[in-house]
Structure formats: C-alpha cells, structure tokens
Amino acid sequence: MSLSLIAFFILVAAFAVGSFTRINAGLIALVAAFGVGTLLVGMPIKDVIGQFPAGLFFILVGATLLFGIVRITGTIDLLAYWAERLAGDRKALVPILMFLLTAALASAGAFTPAAVAIVAPVALALGLRFGISTLAMGLVIVQGANAGAFSPVNPFGVLANVMLDDAGASDDSLKLYIYCFIFNAVLAFLAYVLVQWFMKRRTAAKAPEAGNNDGGDSTYPAAGTQAGTSLLTKAAPAPAPARQAPAKVEATPIRILTLLGLGTLLVLTTVMGIDVGVASLIVALALVCLKPGIQKPAVETMPWSAIILVTGIVTYVGLLEEMGALKELEAGIAGLGDSSLAALIASYVVAVVSAFASTTGTLGVVSPIVNPIAMDPALSPIGVVTAIAISSSVVDVSPMSTSGALLMASAQPKDERVFFRALLVWAIVMIGIVPLLAWLIFVQLGLG
C-alpha cells in the first residue's frame, strides 16, 4: 500500500470518527497531520505547522465573532419581529420572510447550522400559527441558509472562493453568491409548493374517511383537527387559532448600529476589496468599543468546534498536497479524459459525503481536486465551482447533518420519527437530482 493511500485512509477515518462520535474530525486531522508529516513523510514540525491556513482562520474568527455580536445584541430578534409584523395575516409572506431572514444571517457570515438554529424555532412556530406544514417550513429555512452560504463572508463562501482563486477566477466571487442564491431560492419555492400540495391531498383523502366514522357521529374529531395532529399535515384546512400580536422588540441604538455594521462589512469587502477576516474584525471592534459588555459573551459563543473542524481538515489537506498525494488523485481524474464528466462525478461525491459529514470539511478536502477540472479551458471555472458548491450544500437537510438535526430538535418530539423519515427521503432525492441538474446548468451549458 502506497504512502499516499495510507494518508487518504487516515483522512477518511477522521471523517468517519467525526460522523459517528462526538470527537471533532478536525482535531483528529490536525493531530494526524503531525503524525503523518513527521513519522511517515519525515517533514520537520515547522513545515507541518506551515500548512495551517492562517488566513482562513482569521476569516472564520472575524466572521463568527461579528455574528456572535449580532445575536447577543438582539439584532436577530429585531429582524424576526420585523418579519412577523410585515407578514401580518398574509400567510404567503411567512415562508418568504423566513427564507430571507435565514439567508441574510448566512450572508452576514453565520455558519448555516447557526442560522438554522436561530430561525427554526421562530419559523416553525409561525408556520403552525399560519397552518403551514412543518416540513415545508423546515425545508425553506435550510434552503435559505444555503442561499446565503456562499456569500464572501460565510465560511462556505470562503472555501468556494479558494477554488475560484486557484482557478484564476477570483473576480467571479459575486457571481458564485448570486447563482447559489437564485438556485436555492427556486429550490425552496419548489419544495414549499410540493410539500404543501402533498399535505393538502393527504388531508383531503383522509377527510371522507374521518367524516364517515360510525356514520359520521359528531362526537368524532373533524378531519382538519385530526390531520393537524400529524407533523406532516400541519396545513390542515381547520381554521387556525386566533393569532396573538408578536411581542415587541425595540430598535435600540446598538441594534441599529449593528445593522449598519453589517452593511459596512459588505461595502468593505465587495467595494473596497478588504480581506473578509480583517473587515469583520474591524466592524466587530467598532461595535465592542461602542458597547464593551458584548465582547465576553460574543467570544464565548463563537463556534470553536467548527473552526477547529475546518482548519484541521484544511491543514491535513495541505499536508496531502505537500507530500504529492493529491497529485496522484488528480492524475486519476485526468485519466478519465473528460473534465466535464469528472465535474459530474465530483458533484455526486461531495453530495454523498456532505450528507453524512461536514459540508465545510468536504469543501476543504475537494478543493485541490476541483482545481484541475475548473482550469480546463473547455469549461467555465465559475460553472464548475458553482455546481460543486450547490451539490455539497443541498443535502444539509439530511437528519444526519447538523442543519437537519436542528430542524428535528425544533419540531415536536412526538413526530420525531416521521420527521426523520421525511428529511431523509428528501435528502436522498436531492442527492439523486441536484448534482445532475447543477452540472447540466452550470457546467454543460457553461453558465457564467
């Protein structure tokens, strides 16, 4: 067995352990990098340390610190309050506003699980009050997070932009964000319409049966009420209970300043071209100076586990690249003789892996493999990277992923088993359809 193959198996083992235990796969990969680098390859420790992605680390720290401040100041509560007030009694606006709120949080730099964790309890509760299927609302939330996930300040977007930079297409960063946003917005719309349509048909099918129980005795519950007890039939036609006015959230000065800070962040990164990590730290420091009390809780709530996961995996991938292991894999892909086919295979691989492992970790691993495909003159770099980005994130609804698990945690415990099956089936459908669809649109048609 070659040294490169052993190194790859160690990385696979790190993913496996991280997926089925509480041990951080990034921590395993980080320690393994020193073991493989010094013991098997014979590299000095300082050279292994040199593989640590310092730039990526500062981006993650800056973005997550700023997002922690956004949450602690209550700015998210203010946005949710505005969304509910804006919806009023208009049911159709509820999923749209929840999609936009989740997308806005992810666009501002929140990890997608963090955005889902914050919005899900609010969105699912609103869905129940408006008679919207919990499954439909949950899918809209995850797609909203994915829509904003490839913003230049989001960790997903940072990793995807590394692929663009390596392929010589760094100017297409905004295109990547827009394409992913539009694709996920369309997918969210389709998911909502299909699930709501299915639930209405299911409710209508049950109605005659429920109405004919014991000759239609009035002591039996009405069809809409009976259907309403199931998680997947929350859209029953029974009239929804009278809605209470949302609890008012004040637009305090610090919350308004935080919103202005997020706007400033976008200007600094997209207009002035300042590094995302540096810009995030600048805005975070300005807000801390205005209200020093937010610093300690913001630092304490930063997702250090996710930061270790990403940087640990990327460090190990850097070691693989340094020892030439990735060159062998790239040679195997090149041996296919068709970069377009290689892009399709890579899209399916990242979709399957991401359904059971970390999307951030998967993007970090696949980046060097995607580079030679994206650099093929016959293909569009932005098209290849967009297809990979969409394929890797669309399966985040899987109950084995963090976002899917958060949806289950926000649903009613009595319906956990049904919800698990529904999310799993949807994830499997996404694995089967989306990579091919994204490949056809962005690679074959060369959109970009």
Side-chain angles (χ1 to χ4, degrees), residues 1 35 55 98 105 115 140 199 225 232 253 305 310 331 335 339 345 360 370 427:
M1 183 180 295
M98 291 300 101
L105 293 174
V140 166
M199 299 314 158
T225 304
L232 298 183
S305 178
V310 175
S339 295
I345 293 174
T360 46
V370 172

Side-chain angles (χ1 to χ4, degrees), residues 52-334:
F52 183 81
L56 177 60
F57 173 77
F58 279 108
I59 290 174
L60 296 176
V61 168
T64 56
L65 174 61
L66 180 57
F67 176 73
I69 292 174
V70 172
R71 185 184 63 80
I72 289 166
T73 56
T75 307
I76 291 171
D77 297 328
L78 178 63
L79 292 173
Y81 169 70
W82 284 348
E84 188 169 2
R85 286 291 302 273
L86 185 60
D89 293 322
R90 291 164 291 189
K91 177 179 176 179
L93 273 182
V94 175
I96 296 174
L97 292 173
M98 291 300 101
F99 173 90
L100 293 176
L101 176 57
T102 317
L105 293 174
S107 298
F111 274 97
T112 53
V116 171
I118 290 166
V119 177
V122 177
L124 297 189
L126 281 177
L128 289 176
R129 290 166 65 179
F130 280 89
I132 298 173
S133 162
T134 304
L135 177 61
M137 188 62 81
L139 294 177
V140 166
I141 294 168
V142 174
Q143 295 312 135
N146 287 339
F150 291 93
S151 151
V153 299
N154 189 283
F156 283 16
V158 170
L159 292 170
N161 283 325
V162 169
M163 300 184 206
L164 286 177
D165 291 343
D166 292 341
S170 57
D171 292 339
D172 288 335
S173 175
L174 185 58
K175 283 186 179 180
L176 173 67
Y177 173 58
I178 293 173
Y179 291 164
C180 290
F181 193 102
I182 294 174
F183 190 95
N184 281 285
V186 173
L187 188 57
F189 172 78
L190 294 176
Y192 179 83
V193 171
L194 288 173
V195 172
Q196 285 290 87
W197 172 79
F198 176 78
M199 299 314 158
K200 287 182 179 179
R201 281 181 57 91
R202 182 175 176 178
T203 300
K206 284 186 175 183
E209 180 181 348
N212 291 329
N213 279 335
D214 285 2
D217 193 306
S218 60
T219 60
Y220 282 82
T225 304
Q226 181 181 14
T229 62
S230 170
L231 178 70
L232 298 183
T233 53
K234 297 300 181 185
R243 296 194 309 110
Q244 297 179 350
K248 186 175 182 180
V249 179
E250 296 290 343
T252 60
I254 189 61
R255 290 169 182 165
I256 297 300
L257 288 171
T258 301
L259 291 175
L260 291 175
L262 295 178
T264 302
L265 175 67
L266 293 178
V267 173
L268 291 175
T269 55
T270 59
V271 178
M272 301 180 64
I274 297 177
D275 179 81
V276 173
V278 174
S280 298
L281 289 172
I282 291 172
V283 176
L285 177 59
L287 293 172
V288 167
C289 290
L290 291 171
K291 190 172 183 178
I294 62 178
Q295 176 182 289
K296 187 174 185 294
V299 173
E300 290 177 346
T301 56
M302 288 173 63
W304 292 106
S305 178
I307 293 173
I308 292 173
L309 170 65
V310 175
T311 54
I313 293 293
V314 174
T315 298
Y316 193 89
V317 171
L319 173 68
L320 291 177
E321 192 166 18
E322 184 70 17
M323 62 185 286
L326 293 182
K327 290 294 183 182
E328 296 183 21
L329 185 57
E330 291 170 12
I333 293 177

